[in-house]
Amino acid sequence: MHRTLRILSAGASLICSLVANAFAAETEVTGIVYQFASHGQTLPYATVCVLEAPNDACVTADGEGVYRVPLSVADEGVTPVTVEVRADGIRAMRSGTLALSAAALADEEVRILLATYHQQVVPAKLYRAYRGLVAIAAGTRISDRMCSVAGTVSVAEKFGYWTYDAQTDTYSADTAGFLADEVHGYAGAVVSLEHLGEDGVWRRFSGHGPVYTNQFVMPSRFLTQTSEDGGFFFWNLPAGSYRLLAADAAGGSGDSFNDPVTLTCGRQTFINVGPPQLHESPQ
């Protein structure tokens, strides 16, 4: 039996119109800011922002790297939510763009995701070195003036570090368990992009990656699917809306997936779809 992947996106397509004057549901997006390749080290006091109205606001993560941003979700249509993290010494980065709706907030998986929306940041020097290795593997120059997308296809267990309180009907992150689990990659996934055209149609977008990383977290020109590290990188993307898709390289029929992760690319944008945003389906 083939193991399936899940790409998490809370709700329907971002193409639905946003209703500006009726926000009936109140919730929050919360998680930890943690550092790539740091053996579970968090980043205290980072600035964490939601970019889109009506939730466009910034907060400061606490001393343990935990952030919480209150959200108002429209009772009709879709409320987009993109999280951005800024701090001295790191490459400013964005998450994928959640597409929230009032109906979606009743979905357990969406509620868990909002309670465990961890942000994986990369030190600026390490990002530049890694991007240089990707450029060598890709055989091309990578421009920092365009959009780059890094990510990890992770195992289902990366989505499992949460607890449920039946008395309050709320979910919370098991951050200690999440940070202690350093082996998170799913091997054997093929990752691709779709771009939203001016005519409102999603089309396959190729020629800009991905380069996959091997089990030693090194970009490799020889890989055609994820290794046990799960990492991948797309480069030089023009500004616009994209969808990130994954498929099991082994193929097979009957595999099911969540909605693709939506990406909002701008100039000089770095998007990092770190665990647990993209993962295999629990079995």
Side-chain angles (χ1 to χ4, degrees), residues 146-209:
M146 303 187 77
C147 181
S148 297
V149 177
T152 301
V153 182
S154 55
V155 294
E157 288 76 9
K158 272 293 175 180
F159 191 59
Y161 289 103
W162 53 269
T163 56
Y164 174 68
D165 187 331
Q167 290 186 332
T168 60
D169 189 32
T170 58
Y171 298 86
S172 59
D174 174 10
T175 56
F178 177 84
L179 292 170
D181 184 4
E182 295 184 38
V183 180
H184 51 251
Y186 177 91
V190 175
V191 186
S192 61
L193 284 179
E194 291 181 344
H195 178 256
L196 181 64
E198 294 183 359
D199 57 0
V201 176
W202 294 99
R203 295 183 176 89
R204 181 73 175 267
F205 191 84
S206 58
H208 296 256

Side-chain angles (χ1 to χ4, degrees), residues 40-121:
Q41 184 177 349
T42 62
L43 183 65
Y45 311 118
T47 299
V48 183
C49 305
V50 170
L51 301 182
E52 299 91 351
N55 300 301
D56 45 334
C58 295
V59 300
T60 301
D62 67 16
E64 301 298 322
V66 177
Y67 76 93
R68 297 180 183 275
V69 182
L71 300 177
S72 294
V73 177
D75 62 0
E76 297 180 30
V78 168
T79 303
V81 173
T82 306
V83 176
E84 183 172 85
V85 182
R86 311 162 192 159
D88 291 340
I90 71 163
R91 174 65 167 90
M93 55 142 281
R94 296 180 183 179
S95 69
T97 300
L98 298 172
L100 299 180
S101 67
L105 295 182
D107 185 293
E108 181 184 53
E109 202 162 9
V110 172
R111 295 172 66 193
I112 295 169
L113 181 62
L114 287 172
T116 62
Y117 205 55
H118 308 317
Q119 304 299 317
Q120 182 193 67
V121 297

Side-chain angles (χ1 to χ4, degrees), residues 256-268:
S256 60
F257 303 88
N258 282 85
D259 292 339
V261 173
T262 302
L263 310 172
T264 305
C265 270
R267 288 179 57 82
Q268 300 180 321

